[in-house]
C-alpha cells in the first residue's frame, strides 16, 4: 500500500479530539449568557469527538513512522474535516445562512481570510461571534501545529508535519532542536500575545468580550470583528494598537521567540523583516501623501489610516477602516499591487509571503548581472547566503501553481456571473487569505453575503488551498500521489 490510511486516521484522531473539546467553549459561553446555541455547539463537539474515536479505532494497528504522502493527506483531510464540522453551528444558529454559506464562513475563519457572508453582526448570538474568533485564533497557529504537540510519537518527524502546512518554514530559524519544546513555546507566545492585545483593547475602551474576540482575530491576522463596521468608528488608540499587533503577527513567530534567547541582532538583521517593514512604510507613505493632497486629510489621520490599511492588506488581516478603493486612483493601484504579497514566512499571515518576492528580486538582479557580464560568478542570495537550487525550484513552482490556480478560479468565478474585477480580486483575496476584494460589488465596504452557493464553495476551496500553500492539496488530487 502506497499510503497507510490507518496511519492517516491515527494522526487525525488527537487533532479532532482537541477540536471537539474546543467546541465546548462557546457552548459554555452560551450557557453562561443564557442565549441560544448550546445544543448546536454540543452537537459539533460530539460529532468531532465521535469521528476522533472512530479514527483512533481505525488507526490502532497503524505504523509509527508516516511517509511524506501520509503527512500531506493528513494535513489536507484535517483542514477539510474541521472546516465541515465547524460549519454546523453557523448553519443551525443562523436561519438566513445556507449550508454552502456556512462552509464559506468556517473556511474563512479557519484560514484566517476574514471574508464573511454574515451581516448585522451586532444582532447575532454572541456565541456565534465568539466561535468565529476561536476558529480564527486556532486556524492562525494551525491545527497541524497543535497535532505536533499533542501526538505522543516523538520520533515521527514533527518538523515534517509543520512543513506540510507551511512550505516556507525555515529550519534555520529554530531556536531549539526539540520540535515539541519549540511548538509549546510558540503557543505560549501566541497566548501571551492574545492576552497583551486584549489588555490594550480594554484599555482603549472595548468591553472584555469585544476585546478578546477582536484580539483573537488580530493576532491570527484574520480580521473578523464583532460588528459590520469592522474598525470604522473605533478610536485612534484602538487603531494604533491594531497596527502594532498586525505587524507583530506578520513577523516569523520562531524568530520572535529567538529574541528571548538573546538573538536580538539576528531579528533586526533579518532580510525578510527589514524588507517587510520597509515595504509597509514606503507604500503607506505614498498613500498618506495622496490622501493629504487629493482627499484633504490632515497629516495624522492620513498617516494613521494609510498605515492601517496597508498593514491590514500586507498582513492579510483585512480589517476595514474606510474603503481604500474610493480614495484616489494612485492609492487603488498601490493596494492592487500589494494585494497578494502577504506577510513573512512562519507567521499567521497568508499570501505569497514576502520572502518569495525577495528571492525573485534576487534572481532577477543576478540574471541582469549575468546578461551584462556572462562570465561573472553570481548567485541569488537571501540573508547573505546563497539560495540553493531546491529552494529556488520550490519558489518558482509555488508561484506557477498560484498563478495557474488563480486563473482557473477567476474564470470559474466569471462563469458564475461575477464581473472581471470581482472575479480576479476576489480570487486573489481568497487564495491569499486577505479578506477584502477590490471589485465593484465585492470590496472593503461589502460582504460576500450575496454571492451564489457555487461561488461560496469555489472561494472556500481557494481559501483552504491558499492556507496550505496550494501544492500539498494539489498533490492529493493527482494520480501519481497514490502510485509508487
Amino acid at each position: 500500500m502506497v499510503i497507510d490510511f490507518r496511519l492517516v486516521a491515527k494522526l487525525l484522531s488527537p487533532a479532532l479530539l482537541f477540536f471537539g473539546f474546543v467546541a465546548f467553549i462557546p457552548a459554555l459561553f452560551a450557557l453562561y449568557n443564557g442565549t441560544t446555541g448550546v445544543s448546536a455547539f454540543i452537537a459539533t463537539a460530539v460529532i468531532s469527538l465521535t469521528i476522533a474515536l472512530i479514527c483512533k479505532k481505525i488507526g490502532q494497528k497503524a505504523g509509527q513512522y508516516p511517509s511524506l504522502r501520509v503527512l500531506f493527506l493528513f494535513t489536507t483531510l484535517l483542514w477539510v474535516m474541521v472546516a465541515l464540522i465547524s460549519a454546523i453551528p453557523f448553519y443551525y444558529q443562523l436561519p438566513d445562512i445556507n449550508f454552502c454559506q456556512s462552509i464559506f464562513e468556517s473556511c474563512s475563519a479557519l484560514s484566517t481570510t476574514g471574508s464573511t457572508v454574515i451581516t448585522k453582526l451586532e444582532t447575532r448570538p454572541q456565541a456565534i461571534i465568539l466561535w468565529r474568533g476561536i476558529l480564527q485564533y486556532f486556524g492562525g497557529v494551525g491545527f497541524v501545529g497543535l497535532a505536533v504537540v499533542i501526538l505522543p510519537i516523538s520520533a515521527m518527524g514533527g518538523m515534517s508535519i509543520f512543513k506540510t502546512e507551511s512550505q516556507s518554514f525555515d529550519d534555520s530559524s529554530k531556536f531549539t532542536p526539540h520540535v515539541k519544546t519549540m511548538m509549546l513555546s510558540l503557543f505560549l507566545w501566541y497566548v501571551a500575545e492574545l492576552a497583551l492585545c486584549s489588555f490594550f483593547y480594554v484599555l482603549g475602551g472595548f468591553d472584555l468580550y469585544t476585546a478578546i474576540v477582536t484580539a483573537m482575530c488580530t493576532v491570527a491576522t484574520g480580521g473578523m470583528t464583532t460588528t459590520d463596521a469592522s474598525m470604522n468608528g473605533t478610536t485612534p488608540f484602538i487603531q494604533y494598537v491594531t497596527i502594532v499587533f498586525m505587524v507583530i503577527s506578520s513577523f516569523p513567530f520562531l524568530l520572535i521567540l529567538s529574541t528571548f534567547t538573546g538573538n536580538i541582532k539576528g531579528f533586526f538583521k533579518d532580510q525578510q523583516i527589514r524588507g517587510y517593514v520597509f515595504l509597509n512604510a514606503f507604500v503607506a507613505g505614498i498613500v498618506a501623501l495622496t490622501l493629504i493632497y487629493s482627499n484633504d486629510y490632515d497629516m495624522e489621520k492620513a498617516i494613521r489610516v494609510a498605515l492601517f490599511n496597508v498593514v491590514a492588506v500586507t498582513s492579510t488581516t483585512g480589517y476595514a477602516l474606510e474603503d481604500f478603493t474610493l480614495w484616489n486612483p494612485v492609492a487603488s493601484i498601490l493596494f492592487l499591487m500589494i494585494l497578494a504579497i502577504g506577510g513573512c514566512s512562519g507567521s499567521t499571515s497568508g499570501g505569497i509571503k514576502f520572502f518569495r518576492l525577495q528571492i525573485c528580486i534576487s534572481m532577477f538582479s543576478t540574471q541582469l548581472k549575468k546578461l551584462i557580464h556572462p562570465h561573472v560568478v553570481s548567485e541569488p542570495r537571501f540573508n547573505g547566503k546563497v539560495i540553493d537550487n531546491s529552494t529556488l525550484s520550490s519558489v518558482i513552482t509555488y508561484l506557477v501553481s498560484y498563478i495557474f490556480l488563480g486563473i482557473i478560479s477567476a474564470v470559474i468565478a466569471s462563469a458564475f456571473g461575477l464581473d472581471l474585477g470581482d472575479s480576479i480580486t476576489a480570487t486573489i483575496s481568497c487564495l491569499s487569505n486577505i479578506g477584502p476584494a477590490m471589485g465593484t460589488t465585492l470590496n472593503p465596504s461589502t460582504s460576500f453575503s450575496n454571492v451564489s452557493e457555487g461561488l461560496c464553495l469555489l472561494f472556500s476551496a481557494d481559501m483552504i488551498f491558499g492556507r496550505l500553500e496550494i501544492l500539498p492539496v494539489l498533490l492529493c488530487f493527482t494520480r501519481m500521489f497514490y502510485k509508487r
Side-chain angles (χ1 to χ4, degrees):
M1 186 183 298
V2 178
I3 298 176
D4 187 350
F5 291 99
R6 293 177 301 177
L7 185 52
V8 174
K10 184 177 182 178
L11 296 176
L12 286 170
S13 179
L16 292 173
L17 192 69
F18 174 84
F19 181 72
F21 286 114
V22 167
F24 282 113
I25 297 174
L28 293 173
F29 178 81
L31 189 64
Y32 174 78
N33 275 6
T35 56
T36 60
V38 177
S39 58
F41 289 114
I42 290 178
T44 302
V46 170
I47 290 172
S48 185
L49 293 173
T50 302
I51 296 175
L53 294 175
I54 293 172
C55 288
K56 183 179 180 180
K57 182 70 174 177
I58 294 172
Q60 279 182 341
K61 296 182 180 180
Q64 294 290 318
Y65 304 99
S67 65
L68 197 57
R69 299 188 195 202
V70 166
L71 296 177
F72 282 143
L73 186 59
F74 154 68
T75 304
T76 302
L77 284 177
L78 176 62
W79 280 81
V80 171
M81 291 173 70
V82 170
L84 292 174
I85 294 170
S86 60
I88 295 172
F90 295 119
Y91 181 68
Y92 283 103
Q93 285 299 301
L94 304 176
D96 57 326
I97 302 297
N98 59 47
F99 191 66
C100 291
Q101 290 176 314
S102 300
I103 293 174
F104 178 96
E105 196 72 19
S106 65
C107 287
S108 179
L110 282 167
S111 64
T112 69
T113 302
S115 301
T116 184
V117 294
I118 303 174
T119 56
K120 300 179 181 178
L121 293 170
E122 299 87 345
T123 65
R124 305 294 183 167
Q126 285 190 336
I128 283 290
I129 306 302
L130 175 63
W131 181 236
R132 296 198 318 166
I134 290 172
L135 292 178
Q136 290 225 305
Y137 186 66
F138 286 109
V141 74
F143 281 93
V144 175
L146 294 172
V148 172
V149 176
I150 294 170
L151 284 171
I153 309 169
S154 59
M156 64 168 297
M159 191 59 65
S160 297
I161 293 184
F162 197 86
K163 282 184 177 179
T164 63
E165 181 170 277
S166 180
Q167 294 183 339
S168 59
F169 182 77
D170 182 7
D171 289 330
S172 64
S173 64
K174 289 187 295 181
F175 70 98
T176 172
H178 200 295
V179 64
K180 288 191 176 182
T181 303
M182 178 191 71
M183 293 303 296
L184 285 170
S185 299
L186 187 151
F187 296 139
L188 287 175
W189 163 251
Y190 200 50
V191 172
E193 190 183 5
L194 172 63
L196 196 60
C197 187
S198 299
F199 169 77
F200 280 108
Y201 277 150
V202 171
L203 198 64
F206 280 176
D207 59 73
L208 187 61
Y209 161 78
T210 303
I212 292 176
V213 173
T214 308
M216 283 181 177
C217 300
T218 301
V219 301
T221 61
M224 288 181 168
T225 60
T226 59
T227 66
D228 287 346
S230 190
M231 284 293 173
N232 290 293
T234 58
T235 63
F237 178 83
I238 291 289
Q239 293 163 18
Y240 281 121
V241 167
T242 305
I243 291 171
V244 170
F245 281 95
M246 285 192 295
V247 171
I248 292 174
S249 298
S250 300
F251 291 154
F253 274 27
L254 298 180
L255 197 55
I256 292 174
L257 289 174
S258 71
T259 62
F260 296 115
T261 63
N263 187 29
I264 298 175
K265 289 184 179 179
F267 178 85
F268 289 104
K269 286 183 178 180
D270 186 80
Q271 183 179 339
Q272 185 177 200
I273 288 178
R274 287 189 286 109
Y276 179 72
V277 171
F278 174 79
L279 175 73
N280 281 279
F282 181 74
V283 175
I286 296 177
V287 172
L289 288 175
T290 67
L291 292 177
I292 292 171
Y293 291 105
S294 298
N295 300 77
D296 296 324
Y297 280 46
D298 64 73
M299 184 175 292
E300 187 278 330
K301 183 180 179 181
I303 293 174
R304 170 170 46 85
V305 173
L307 186 59
F308 184 99
N309 281 279
V310 169
V311 172
V313 170
T314 59
S315 67
T316 69
T317 308
Y319 279 136
L321 181 61
E322 302 187 12
D323 187 343
F324 53 78
T325 62
L326 302 177
W327 285 345
N328 56 74
V330 174
S332 295
I333 291 173
L334 287 172
F335 277 105
L336 185 61
M337 290 174 63
I338 65 173
L339 194 63
I341 292 176
C344 299
S345 64
S347 70
T348 57
S349 296
I352 292 174
K353 298 293 194 303
F354 195 71
F355 90 103
R356 289 193 177 100
L357 176 64
Q358 290 176 308
I359 288 177
C360 288
I361 292 173
S362 181
M363 292 169 63
F364 177 74
S365 177
T366 300
Q367 190 61 30
L368 286 181
K369 289 179 183 177
K370 289 185 176 181
L371 287 174
I372 300 171
H373 306 286
H375 302 293
V376 72
V377 179
S378 180
E379 299 293 339
R381 291 177 176 271
F382 183 77
N383 270 334
K385 299 178 181 179
V386 175
I387 306 169
D388 60 84
N389 290 331
S390 62
T391 300
L392 294 176
S393 298
S394 66
V395 169
I396 293 171
T397 303
Y398 172 82
L399 291 175
V400 170
S401 65
Y402 182 95
I403 294 170
F404 177 73
L405 187 60
I407 291 173
I408 292 177
S409 179
V411 169
I412 295 173
S414 297
F416 275 103
L418 287 184
D419 63 31
L420 183 64
D422 283 326
S423 298
I424 294 175
T425 60
T427 295
I428 293 174
S429 177
C430 292
L431 265 181
S432 297
N433 306 128
I434 299 168
M438 292 183 63
T440 53
T441 59
L442 298 175
N443 52 60
S445 299
T446 62
S447 68
F448 282 69
S449 57
N450 292 323
V451 301
S452 65
E453 293 184 10
L455 283 171
C456 281
L457 295 179
L458 173 67
F459 290 147
S460 297
D462 285 340
M463 288 185 277
I464 297 298
F465 270 100
R467 181 65 178 85
L468 299 183
E469 303 209 331
I470 301 175
L471 295 177
V473 186
L474 278 180
L475 276 172
C476 295
F477 290 95
T478 61
R479 290 181 63 186
M480 65 178 178
F481 186 77
Y482 302 95
K483 288 185 176 181
R484 292 191 182 277

